Amino acid sequence: MSDHPVTIKAVHPPLPERLRELVASDLGSYVLAVVLIVLPLLVSGSWMFAIGVCFANAIGVLAVSFLVRYGGEVSIGHAFFAAVGAYSVAILDTRFGLSLLVSVPLALVLGVVTGVAFAWPSRKLSGIYLAVSTMALALAVPELINNTDALTGGYEGLYVSKPLIPGLPMSFQRYYVALAVLIAVVFALARFRHSRQGLTILLSKAHPAAADAFGTRQVWARCAVLGISGGIAALCGAMLAFAGSTVSPSGFTLWSSIFLLVGSVVSFYGLTLARALIGGAFLTLVPQFLSASGAWIPVFYGLALLGMILLGHYLPRLKEMMARHGGTA
Amino acid sequence: MNDVLRDLFPLAWSGMITGCLYALGAMGLVMIFKSSRVVNFSHGNVAGFAAFLIYGFSSGVLLDLSWGAAVLLTIVAVVAIACLTYAVIAPLVFDSDLTATIATLGIGLIAQGATLLIFGADIVSLDLPIPRFSTSVLGLRITGYDLTVLGVAIVTIGALFFVIDYTKLGIAFRAISENSFAAEVCGLNLRSIHLFSWVVAAVLGVVGALLIVPTTFLSVTTVAAFMLQAFAAAVIGGFASLPGSLIGGILIGVLMNLFTFYVSPQFSSTFLLCIILLALNIFPNGILARVGGSRV
Amino acid sequence: MMDVATKSLTGQGIALSFGGIEVLKGLDVEFRAGEITGLIGPNGAGKTSLFNCLTGAYHPQKGAISYAGHSLEGLPPAARAQKGIVRSFQHVALSPDLTVLENVMIGVARNYHSGWLHAFLPTVRGRHEKAEMRADAERALAELGLAKAADKMPSELPPGMLRLVEIARAIVGRPAVLMLDEPAAGLNNSETRDLMRSLSALASPDLVMVVVEHDMDLVMSICDRIYVLNFGAFVACGTPAEVRSNEEVVRIYLGSDDD
Ligand SMILES: Nc1ncnc2c1ncn2[C@@H]1O[C@H](COP(=O)(O)OP(=O)(O)OP(=O)(O)O)[C@@H](O)[C@H]1O
Ligand SMILES: [Mg+2]
C-alpha cells in the first residue's frame, strides 16, 4: 500500500507522449471544427448547402458506426430511425409551426424509443440474423410514409422552412445547426467511451457472459446500444430534414440504409469528427459528382465498399509482411 | 362465411405457386449460408441482372438469340458472376462472416448499377414460352403458368436434393454445413464446395427470377423486391435448412396473399417485417431447429 | 458464530445435466464466510459448471441456492452480481477494446448509479464517479502488482498477466462472495506465490472465497476447507490435512496428478 502514490504517477504516460495523443485525437477535432465554422466565409451558397447535408449524413454514419463499435452488430435498416427524426421535424414544422427547439428533442426521444422498441423483440438475434431483421425494418419505411400521407405528405414529401432563430438567413442556419448537432454528437460519444455505461457495454460486446457476471445484462446492453444508435440516427434524419430542406420517402429506402453502412465502412467505423465527415462526404458528394449519370452511383458505392473491406482485410497483413521484411533485412 | 371460403382456396393456391418461387430464391440464400455462413445480399440484384440479360439476349437489345439460347447464355454469365463474386469474397469468408456479408452488399450495388447502365431504368416486358391454358378443378382456376411453375419448382428442388444426397459434391456440402472444421480436417476442400454452393444458388436465382417475371413486368427493382420475400422465407425456415426454406417460402406466399386480400395491400412490407421479427423470436433457429445450449 | 453461518453461500441438491449427461449429481455445498474454500477435481469434474450454477449462468434442473439465508432462485447473473456474488473466468474474458485499467473499472461499475446524462455530458458527478472508479481500479491493480500495466491493452500482455487482471476485476468491487476459476493457471512460480499472498490478505470475516485450482500447493496452503469433486459428485470434504490423507482422493486425483 505504501507505494500507492508512486504507482499512480507511473500509470500516466510522460508529457510529450500525452501531447502527441492530444494532437492525434482532441486537438485535431478542435482544429477541424474551427475550420468548419469559418468555412461558409469561403465557399458559395450551393456548396454551403451540400456541406450542411454532408454534416447530417455524417451523423447518420456515426449512428451506424456506434452500433458496430459498441454492439458489434451491423444494421442495414437505419433509414427507419432517420425517417423517424426527419418526419418529427417536418411534421412539427409544417403542421404545427413548431421550430427545431421542440422538434429536435422530440426526434431524439422518438429515435431512442423506436431503437429500444426494435431492440426488445430482436434481443436474442445477433450477427447476420439481426442484419436481416434490420433490413425488414428498412423495407417497411417507404410504405408507412406513403400510406399516412395526411400527415407525411406521401410521395411528395414536406418542405421544412421554419428557421430556428428568426431573422437570420436560412442558408446559414441550415449549415450551422447541422454542424452544431454533429459536433455535439461527436463530443457526447467521446465522453461516452469513458463512462461507466460505455465500459460495460464494450465488455458486453466481447464477452456477454462476463458482463452479465458483473451486473450488465445482455438485453440491457442491446437496448442501450440500439436506443443510442437510433437516437443518433433520428438526429441525422432531423438534420437531413432541416439542412436538406425537404423530406420524402425516397430519402429513406433500403438503399439509404445501405448507403449509411457504406459510409460507416468507408470511415472505418470511426467515431471522431474527421472520420464521420469522411463518411458523410462520401454519401453527399459522390452523388453530386456523379449526378450526370445516376447509374454510376451504385457501382461506385459498391466498388468503394468492396475496396474498403478488402483494404481493411489486407492492410494489417501487408503491414505485418513489411514489418517482417524490415526486421530480417 | 361462404364468400370467405370461396376466396380462400384460390388465394391459398396462387400463394402456394408464388411461394414455390420464393422457396427457390430462399434455397439459394440457404445454400450459400450453409456452406460459408455468408448471407448473400447480392442474390436479388444478380438474379435481376440475369433476368435483364435474358431479355437483352432474346430481344435484340444485346443479341437476337432464340429463347433457349438466351437462357443458356445467361446461365453461363451468371455462373461466371458467381465465381467472380466468390473470388472476391473468399478471403473474407475465413476471416469474418459479417464482413463477407457486408461485402455482398457491395456486389449487389454493382449488379444494380450494371443493370441500370446497360438497360436503363425503364420497364420492359419479358415473355416466356409458357403454355396458355386454364382449367377449373373444384372451382379452382389453374393456369398453364401455375403448372409450369409447379413443375419447374418440383424438378429443380428434386434435382437439388438428389445432388445433395447422392453426389460426392453434395455429400461434401452436407459435411461442411454440419461442421466445417472437421470437414476440412478430413481433407475436403472448402473452397470448391463454397463455389459449388454459390454456383447452384446463382442458377436457382435465375430460375426463380425468370418465373416471377411473367406475373409482373421487369424493372430494376422487380426481382430484388421478389428476393426480399425469399429472404423472409429463408428466415422462417431457419436460414440453414433447405426443407425449412421450402416450407417458409410457401408459408410466406400464402400469408402474403391472404394479408393483401383480407387486410391491406398497402402495408405488405410492414407485414413482412412483423413476420420476420416474430419468426426470429419464436423460433430463433427456424421452425425445424434443434435445441442446444451455449457454454461459458 | 451465528453471524458467520448466516453469511454463507449454500447449495442443496444441485443437479445439472446437458442432454441426458449428468454434469452435477445433486451437490450439497456450504461455502462459509471468513474461510477460503478450495474446489478441486480432475478435468471435466464439473467445477466450472458448479460456479456457473451458483452465479446463475446455468440453470440447474434441481436444487436450491441461497446466500446469507436468502434464496437466489430465479435471479439472473446480473442480479446476483448486484448482491456482491462475483467470479473470475477460467477463460480470460476481458474486453479487447478497453485498457487494463478500464477492464478492471468494470468490476466496480455495479456500485455506481449515475444516470445517462452523466455518461454523455461532462458533469461534475460523472467526472467524480469516474475518478473514484479509477482510483479503486488502480488500487486493485497495485495490490496484484499490476500497476505498470494499467494503461496497456489486453493484447499487449502475456496470458498470465491477463489472468491477474481478471482477478483484479473480480476483487475490486469489494465482493461478498468471490469465486475464482483457476486463478493461477499460466502463472510462473513466483507469480503464483505473490497471488497466494494477495488472496490470503484478501480473506476477511465477511467474505466467502472459493478457489478452483489445479495447483495443489496453492490450494493446500491457502484453503481452510477443500471440496473434492469427481464426475459431478463430491468424494471428500474437509481440511487440507484431511483431504490429503483421504485415500479416495489420493487415488482419483492427487495420485494421478503427482506422477
Ligand atoms: N454448456 C454445456 N453444454 C454441454 N456440456 C457441458 C456444458 N458445460 C459443461 N459441460 C460438460 O460438463 C462437464 C463438466 O465441465 P466443467 O467445465 O464444469 O468441468 P471442470 O471441472 O471445470 O473442468 P476443467 O478442470 O477442465 O475446467 C464436462 O463434461 C463438460 O463437457
Ligand atoms: Mg473448469
Side-chain angles (χ1 to χ4, degrees), chain A residues 74 76 121 125 128 132 135-137 139 143-144 147 255 258 261 295-296 298-299 302-303 305-306 309 313-314 317, chain B residues 33 37 39 41 91-92 95 99 101 103 105-106 109 112-113 116-117 228 235 266-270 273 280-281:
Chain A
V74 165
I76 45 176
L125 309 177
I128 15 210
V132 170
M135 178 191 75
L137 194 62
L139 282 177
E143 75 178 20
L144 284 174
N147 292 309
W255 293 110
I258 293 176
L261 179 62
W296 281 105
V299 176
L303 287 175
L305 185 61
L306 279 180
I309 287 177
H313 177 80
Y314 284 114
R317 269 150 246 249
Chain B
F33 183 74
R37 297 279 131 187
V39 177
F41 280 110
L92 305 171
D95 208 32
T99 313
T101 297
L105 281 171
L109 284 166
Q112 161 113 351
L116 277 169
L117 280 174
L228 295 172
V235 167
Q266 282 122 27
F267 289 99
S268 55
S269 295
T270 314
L273 164 66
L280 281 175
N281 272 287

Side-chain angles (χ1 to χ4, degrees), chain C residues 48 90 181-182:
Chain C
T48 303
Q90 180 177 355
D181 202 344
E182 306 198 7

Side-chain angles (χ1 to χ4, degrees), chain B residues 293-296, chain C residues 18 23 41-50 58 90 181-182 214 229:
Chain B
S294 69
R295 283 187 170 214
V296 177
Chain C
F18 288 106
V23 173
N43 290 110
K47 307 175 296 290
T48 303
S49 299
L50 179 59
Y58 285 176
Q90 180 177 355
D181 202 344
E182 306 198 7
H214 285 298
L229 194 60

Side-chain angles (χ1 to χ4, degrees), chain A residues 243-255:
Chain A
S245 75
T246 51
V247 293
S248 73
S250 65
F252 305 98
T253 60
L254 177 60
W255 293 110

Side-chain angles (χ1 to χ4, degrees), chain B:
Chain B
M1 190 62 217
N2 234 344
D3 273 3
V4 169
L5 277 184
R6 206 191 54 216
D7 293 331
L8 195 63
F9 283 114
L11 283 173
W13 169 256
S14 67
M16 199 192 78
I17 297 295
T18 14
C20 287
L21 296 179
Y22 296 157
L24 283 181
M27 283 176 164
L29 293 168
V30 169
M31 285 285 292
I32 291 175
F33 183 74
K34 265 175 93 83
S35 70
S36 49
R37 297 279 131 187
V38 172
V39 177
N40 181 14
F41 280 110
S42 68
H43 200 49
N45 293 104
V46 171
F49 184 59
F52 264 101
L53 278 184
I54 294 177
Y55 160 79
F57 288 149
S58 61
S59 68
V61 173
L62 298 175
L63 293 171
D64 205 354
L65 300 174
S66 75
W67 190 82
V71 171
L72 265 182
L73 195 58
T74 302
I75 285 184
V76 170
V78 164
V79 167
I81 293 175
C83 294
L84 204 66
T85 307
Y86 182 68
V88 172
I89 290 184
L92 305 171
V93 169
F94 298 95
D95 208 32
S96 147
D97 45 9
L98 203 56
T99 313
T101 297
I102 300 175
T104 66
L105 281 171
I107 306 276
L109 284 166
I110 295 171
Q112 161 113 351
T115 313
L116 277 169
L117 280 174
I118 301 173
F119 300 99
D122 295 334
I123 289 167
V124 302
S125 74
L126 174 63
D127 271 328
L128 299 187
I130 282 175
R132 290 181 199 287
F133 74 90
S134 72
T135 55
S136 194
V137 181
L138 298 170
L140 207 62
R141 219 174 70 89
I142 297 175
T143 64
Y145 170 76
D146 293 349
L147 294 180
T148 311
V149 169
L150 214 55
V152 171
I154 288 171
V155 168
T156 315
I157 293 171
L160 181 61
F161 280 119
F162 178 82
V163 166
I164 289 177
D165 276 350
Y166 295 106
T167 66
K168 229 174 159 180
L169 216 51
I171 291 165
F173 168 77
R174 274 191 295 155
I176 277 184
S177 56
E178 286 296 322
N179 184 340
S180 69
F181 178 70
E184 197 175 12
V185 170
C186 295
L188 290 173
N189 183 348
L190 284 184
R191 281 172 202 276
S192 67
I193 291 152
H194 285 178
L195 198 57
F196 161 74
S197 66
W198 279 81
V199 167
V200 170
V203 175
L204 287 174
V206 176
V207 174
L210 206 54
L211 290 174
I212 198 73
V213 171
T215 60
T216 58
F217 43 80
L218 183 56
S219 81
V220 191
T221 52
T222 321
V223 180
F226 151 71
M227 279 304 172
L228 295 172
Q229 333 263 341
F231 253 104
V235 167
I236 288 188
F239 230 109
S241 151
L242 288 171
S245 57
L246 179 59
I247 298 173
I250 292 175
L251 216 60
I252 288 278
V254 173
L255 285 178
M256 292 296 283
N257 240 4
L258 296 181
F259 179 83
T260 45
F261 188 83
Y262 289 113
V263 187
S264 146
Q266 282 122 27
F267 289 99
S268 55
S269 295
T270 314
F271 179 63
L272 210 59
L273 164 66
C274 296
I275 292 186
I276 288 183
L277 279 186
L278 215 72
L280 281 175
N281 272 287
I282 303 176
F283 318 105
N285 302 309
I287 301 176
L288 303 178
R290 289 161 292 183
V291 273
S294 69
R295 283 187 170 214
V296 177

Side-chain angles (χ1 to χ4, degrees), chain A residues 46-116:
Chain A
S46 67
W47 270 103
M48 225 167 90
F49 179 82
I51 297 173
V53 175
C54 164
F55 294 152
N57 277 321
I59 301 172
V61 168
L62 282 175
V64 177
S65 299
F66 180 84
L67 183 61
V68 174
R69 284 279 161 126
Y70 285 82
E73 303 292 354
V74 165
S75 161
I76 45 176
H78 262 50
F80 179 91
F81 306 112
V84 167
Y87 278 90
S88 305
V89 168
I91 290 170
L92 286 193
D93 179 302
T94 51
R95 312 273 179 222
F96 303 98
L98 293 170
S99 82
L100 288 187
L101 234 39
V102 183
S103 58
V104 166
L106 178 75
L108 179 60
V109 170
L110 285 180
V112 172
V113 169
T114 47
V116 174

